[in-house]
Amino acid sequence: MRNNFRDTKDQHRINERIRVPEVRLVGDNVEQGIYPTREALRIAEEKELDLVEISPTAVPPVCRIIDYQKFLYQQKKKQKEQKAKAVKIVVKEIRFGPQTDDHDYNFKLKHAKSFLEEGAKVKAYVFFKGRSILFKEQGEVLLLRFANDLEDYARVEQLPVLEGKRMIIMLTPKKQGSAKKEQPSE
């Protein structure tokens, strides 16, 4: 964590580290314009704040007079908020055999519904052991029936595909509102 803080601290040149003859000054409580670097530093010292280089690639470089520690804190806070808002996709797996009986099927169907209501994707697959690969049509029918039974909760992202000894189907949850709207109309 400390290295991360050091990276953000070294990201900007502040005060005496700014080694250009003149800078463009922007910010609150400052008359904006182009100033010699020494004068910009003097203005910052008078206000007991730091001169921070915001845009070093501009000509002349853009600087702002701010409290640098507060600035770093706000940047860190923004990064944390963005990280929290990032969507985390969870994929839950449900495994079938090619000749899964109704009780097991219904049990797994109930779990798939709860996963989809939580917003997780569901990866359902039929695993073929040994010679059971002969029943791949049966496995495909099982997965299509599974997708059909879940059509109120999910949409099919990927139709059944045979990958080695597994036949896989991917289901994505429908929007929360659309699943609830369809239920009362029945």
Side-chain angles (χ1 to χ4, degrees):
M1 195 72 172
R2 284 199 164 186
N3 290 341
N4 193 7
F5 178 72
R6 196 170 289 131
D7 291 344
T8 55
K9 199 167 189 174
D10 294 338
Q11 187 177 351
H12 304 283
R13 287 191 291 201
I14 60 170
N15 299 329
E16 285 76 30
R17 287 188 179 168
I18 301 171
R19 302 199 186 283
V20 291
E22 57 184 18
V23 294
R24 179 178 303 275
L25 208 53
V26 297
D28 306 329
N29 306 326
V30 172
E31 189 160 330
Q32 299 186 6
I34 296 174
Y35 291 87
T37 306
R38 287 180 192 229
E39 191 176 330
L41 275 167
R42 186 187 54 75
I43 295 169
E45 284 174 12
E46 283 176 8
K47 296 182 183 260
E48 296 180 4
L49 295 171
D50 299 303
L51 182 67
V52 181
E53 192 176 54
I54 301 296
S55 179
T57 55
V59 179
V62 178
C63 293
R64 178 175 272 157
I65 295 178
I66 49 175
D67 181 354
Y68 190 56
Q69 294 303 319
K70 187 176 178 182
F71 174 71
L72 286 179
Y73 172 75
Q74 288 172 341
Q75 271 196 332
K76 209 183 246 186
K77 196 172 167 183
K78 280 182 190 174
Q79 287 175 346
K80 231 180 193 180
E81 286 174 9
Q82 286 175 344
K83 195 174 182 182
K85 287 180 185 175
V87 178
K88 295 166 187 84
I89 299 173
V90 179
V91 179
K92 300 283 190 169
E93 290 189 356
I94 295 182
R95 176 181 166 166
F96 293 102
Q99 295 165 330
T100 303
D101 66 327
D102 284 342
H103 177 266
D104 289 340
Y105 174 82
N106 291 330
F107 182 77
K108 292 176 183 190
L109 185 69
K110 187 174 79 174
H111 277 286
K113 285 178 185 176
S114 68
F115 294 152
L116 290 164
E117 285 171 349
E118 291 168 9
K121 287 186 176 185
V122 173
K123 177 181 182 179
Y125 65 92
V126 177
F127 188 76
F128 299 102
K129 260 194 242 173
R131 290 191 178 174
S132 67
I133 196 81
L134 298 170
F135 301 110
K136 57 184 165 207
E137 292 82 21
Q138 219 172 346
E140 187 173 2
V141 168
L142 180 76
L143 290 177
L144 291 172
R145 174 181 160 207
F146 187 69
N148 194 40
D149 289 347
L150 289 171
E151 74 179 336
D152 290 345
Y153 301 91
R155 62 179 177 77
V156 177
E157 187 175 289
Q158 175 189 339
L159 287 169
V161 178
L162 188 64
E163 293 178 6
K165 292 184 175 186
R166 289 176 161 197
M167 185 172 285
I168 300 170
I169 191 169
M170 284 293 290
L171 302 168
T172 309
K174 283 186 176 177
K175 298 281 185 264
Q176 299 290 335
S178 64
K180 290 177 183 171
K181 285 178 189 171
E182 287 177 25
Q183 287 174 351
S185 64
E186 288 179 321

